[in-house]
Amino acid sequence: MKLKTGIGYQSYAEMMEKNIFYIDKTLFLRDWWEYADKVTLITRPRRFGKTLNMNTVECFFSIKYANRGDLFEGKSIWEEKSPDGGYAYRKLQGKYPVIFMSFADVKPTNNAGMTALEEMKAIVKQIIANEYKKYREIMASDLFSDDDRAHFASVNRDMD
């Protein structure tokens, strides 16, 4: 299948599914995993692929993408061998709960009758509230108290 070129993609899975040209940076996954830092700070200029790299992390590790090794076939991380000759990283694909939020689109439009700061705060609150909504079914678990449920419910676009 012929590769296509495209700009502006922030979804690794979408790029692989649409056969969009991708410069293989998947060994970042190995490096990040092996360094085991408490905090990873990624600073790069605008339009340098930060969101795409973070989305690649989500696609690789998240249980949401379990059994989607096809997204990584032919990429460096998929071919990376462990000292025993096996493919250690293939075993990590799709095995972890991952929460991924991008703030790449937090840009004021100045159309909402708010200051730029107020508008940006509102957008960030909405992004966080949307992420919470994705996991609301977990609150039915007996592992959570009524206080936990109330706190969880308080996360919405109108929160402080």
Side-chain angles (χ1 to χ4, degrees):
M1 185 182 288
K2 186 178 176 187
L3 284 174
K4 297 174 259 179
T5 57
I7 60 171
Y9 284 88
Q10 295 181 338
S11 168
Y12 177 83
E14 182 181 14
M15 289 182 73
M16 296 306 102
E17 290 164 353
K18 290 183 176 180
N19 208 32
I20 303 294
F21 177 74
Y22 170 80
I23 295 173
D24 189 352
K25 297 182 258 179
T26 58
L27 286 182
F28 166 80
L29 299 164
R30 178 202 61 199
D31 295 344
W32 179 76
W33 185 261
E34 290 181 7
Y35 291 155
D37 294 329
K38 284 187 176 185
V39 174
T40 302
L41 177 63
I42 299 174
T43 58
R44 297 286 185 273
R46 188 172 178 273
R47 309 285 321 144
F48 206 79
K50 297 178 295 292
T51 301
L52 178 58
N53 273 347
M54 293 299 93
N55 184 262
T56 304
V57 170
E58 178 192 22
C59 287
F60 190 77
F61 291 108
S62 177
I63 55 177
K64 184 168 73 174
Y65 291 92
N67 302 315
R68 288 301 314 268
D70 61 298
L71 295 172
F72 294 91
E73 287 175 6
K75 302 295 182 260
S76 298
I77 193 67
W78 207 246
E79 304 307 321
E80 183 73 7
K81 293 209 176 188
S82 57
D84 67 2
Y87 295 100
Y89 291 97
R90 291 182 185 188
K91 295 174 188 167
L92 297 175
Q93 196 279 318
K95 300 293 185 212
Y96 297 93
V98 174
I99 295 173
F100 173 74
M101 289 186 287
S102 172
F103 299 104
D105 294 327
V106 178
K107 298 173 181 80
T109 61
N110 297 321
N111 293 334
M114 299 184 242
T115 67
L117 179 60
E118 290 170 333
E119 189 177 357
M120 290 173 66
K121 281 181 179 181
I123 295 167
V124 168
K125 288 178 190 182
Q126 189 63 60
I127 290 169
I128 293 169
N130 289 345
E131 195 64 24
Y132 265 66
K133 284 180 187 175
K134 291 179 187 176
Y135 301 98
R136 64 180 167 241
E137 73 280 352
I138 68 172
M139 284 290 109
S141 167
D142 292 337
L143 296 173
F144 298 99
S145 69
D146 289 339
D147 287 344
D148 294 330
R149 288 182 190 88
H151 178 72
F152 192 93
S154 74
V155 177
N156 59 60
R157 67 181 186 178
D158 299 321
M159 65 186 160
D160 289 336

